Amino acid sequence: MTRTIAWIWGTACLAGLALPSTAWAQRVTDNVIANASDAFGESVGTERVGLYGVDDVRGFSPVDAGNARIEGLYFAPVDRLPVRLVRGNKVRVGITAQRYPFPAPTGIVDYDLSATGGADQLTLGLETGQFGSVWANLDAQVTLARDLRGYAGATLRRVRRLDGGDNKTDIVSSGLAWTPYAGASVAVFQSFSRSYDDDAAPSIFPAGDFLPPSIRRRERIGQTWAERDNTHEIFGALAKLPLGAWAIEAGLFRAERRVDAGFTDLFVNTRADGTTPDRVIVADANNRDLALSGEVRVVRAFGDAALAHRVTLSLRGRTGDRRFGGVQRIALGESSLNFSDQRPRPVLTFGADDTDKSSQATVGLGYSLASAGRFSLDLGLSGSRYRKTVRFASSGLVTAASDRPVTASVTGSLILSPALTLYGGYVRGFEEVSVAPANAANRGAVPPAIRTRQTDVGLRYAVTPTVSLVAGLFEISKPYYNLDDQAVYRQLGLSSNRGLEMSLAGTLRPGLSVVLGNVLIDARISGALVDNGSIGARPVGSIKRRTIASFDWRPDGGESPLSFDVSAEGLSSRVGNASNRLLAPPRESVDIGLRYRFALAKAPALLRLQLANALDDYGWQVAPNGAFTYSQGRRLYVELRVDL
């Protein structure tokens, strides 16, 4: 029923705007490098720049930890938000989290909705990529009345992946934004996306302390019948209503992900020559993850610029209803990564599903004190009531957990001069744990939420009026979850990520923008399993350094129709197994791009070319569960955008 409603709503909005459009195809003028204010992580449409993203902030995932926001309001995602639903996101960490209500230890990812965009817009985007992949996007923002705007969008994507598989994705999004009076906003939105004919790529687990062999790209290693099919729906409404010295902010969101067909291709105990005695396909179906979440805030501001006060009362809540398990493990036995080893499709018989129901309600009180040009101080105190019940169908076992954590935060900044600001903070949080991976005996299980903490301190220095330097130290501590020697996903110890991060970003001169970033991380595990040598002292998949450098140059002081960009990323070696005796080699990649702006039948247009991984670096990525996957090779993207 909800799928039908989503399609009817999306189709109605499209008909009302008289065109089929996407949830934010990027405009001709959009340029994430030129617009970035720091190097900590920012995206515009499909372009991204910075050290961090939604999957990795200081070595952890803020989305998996439950630290996502939509337009600043609490939101519990069940999957990564479709890029067509949102026009971009901003990673808030360190100084970028200052003055932000109720910060979180693992950082916050704040999404901007396409439905609340600005001026009227109709943008067509067409793109082609590796091996004949194609994308088509069409996006619209239209004024329906003096205080009412409509948004509608759709996207069509057909991807041919480097591992030989394919993927199809369709997205429909729509929304309405109402401005009842000056400064106020009310928005409703929906998004429906489906990913299907999605071939399961191989996940490689070496049998010893050696790397897998190089695999020829575009060789179809996966099984032709192991095609995944899932849908993702989101409905939401939010309101921001200033009332003099008071303000009310509220958001309510419903997100659901359904997996009609799921497959994971595991090459277990892979030998150095690429063969394995234990290839296993893990199949599941009829899984669901449903979350209802939201937040209501009442804000009272008083004082003046010399001494401004703000008091925030917040009520956040979420409920989760997951259906998982019932998997079938299909043993293929001896196999190889070196050729397409196709097998007949087996008869799939799934077991009963396990269920996971959770709820959390949080009341928070925040106080902010700021003096223009002098200092700021933010205090937060929250109390939560948390419950979680998991029922395992095969054994009848029921596990229950409850908690009443109290979390707090204190952050502040001291302005020593117009150019120099010091900042620091201490945050205690209550966060989610990542789902048990596909190779876990308890695949799909989610442990109860955990208590975390973060300390950071640093400075921001205005090198010039348009270039800013940020440098900071941080430490994040939380329980460490991974697979034990029986492949059970559970707590194995405590983790501590200490690091130094630096950002230099801004406009060096008219037309020349730069984003430079570097983070050094010392990720450590402590506990009995480390002490007795069962596991190493560093988390699987962790790195010690990430360095990024991005430049965008538009000649003639930023007035030329041509612009050129280059982005480089360097990664240190990555821990490849639990014993820490295997390391994936360091990786470097360089992307080179060109933009040409012109008029197409009087409409502003952009031709965008990008050569990704221009040096054709071949490297290995390592997931926290120890799965190796190989990186993408050199590829050329060609995109045409037109603002009609």
Side-chain angles (χ1 to χ4, degrees), residues 40 58 94-95 420-424 456-461 468-474 499-504 518:
F40 296 123
R58 296 174 171 176
I95 197 167
L420 180 61
T421 300
L422 304 181
Y423 71 90
D456 63 354
V457 63
L459 62 85
R460 178 171 59 195
Y461 178 68
S468 180
L469 169 69
V470 178
L473 298 169
F474 62 85
L500 165 66
E501 59 193 7
M502 299 184 69
S503 160
L504 180 70
N518 191 60

Side-chain angles (χ1 to χ4, degrees), residues 29-233:
T29 55
D30 291 332
N31 186 327
V32 70
I33 297 175
N35 295 338
S37 57
D38 57 62
F40 296 123
E42 191 167 342
S43 73
V44 176
T46 57
E47 296 183 29
R48 187 186 70 84
V49 70
L51 291 168
Y52 306 133
V54 297
D55 295 313
D56 185 2
V57 174
R58 296 174 171 176
F60 302 106
S61 170
V63 171
D64 288 345
N67 299 331
R69 305 288 187 268
I70 292 181
E71 305 275 344
L73 293 166
Y74 172 75
F75 165 65
V78 296
D79 201 352
R80 303 300 183 260
L81 291 187
V83 69
R84 302 304 176 228
L85 170 67
V86 294
R87 61 178 181 263
N89 65 65
K90 174 76 173 176
V91 173
R92 296 191 177 275
V93 65
I95 197 167
T96 64
Q98 293 280 314
R99 313 306 317 282
Y100 200 84
F102 310 108
T106 311
I108 288 173
V109 176
D110 197 354
Y111 294 93
D112 292 324
L113 287 173
S114 297
T116 59
D120 286 3
Q121 171 193 358
L122 170 57
T123 299
L124 170 68
L126 300 172
E127 184 174 354
T128 180
Q130 62 178 358
F131 311 120
S133 300
V134 293
W135 296 260
N137 305 311
L138 193 64
D139 164 77
Q141 297 272 359
V142 175
T143 299
L144 302 176
R146 183 176 60 85
D147 54 3
L148 182 65
R149 298 178 53 77
Y151 161 79
T155 194
L156 187 70
R157 184 174 68 176
R158 301 294 181 261
V159 175
R160 304 188 70 192
R161 300 201 310 259
L162 79 162
D163 53 48
D166 299 319
N167 169 260
K168 298 176 182 177
T169 302
D170 302 327
I171 302 173
V172 172
S173 297
S174 59
L176 295 171
W178 176 44
T179 305
Y181 56 89
S185 63
V186 178
V188 295
F189 66 91
Q190 68 82 218
S191 179
F192 173 86
S193 61
R194 182 189 177 202
S195 177
Y196 57 103
D197 292 347
D198 182 16
D199 299 273
S203 295
I204 306 165
F205 298 87
D209 301 331
F210 50 78
L211 296 172
S214 297
I215 303 171
R216 187 173 65 182
R217 293 184 172 109
R218 199 53 195 161
E219 181 74 41
R220 185 164 190 169
I221 300 171
Q223 300 295 308
T224 57
W225 44 266
E227 294 184 331
R228 296 170 291 195
D229 188 344
N230 66 80
T231 58
H232 185 201
E233 292 180 336

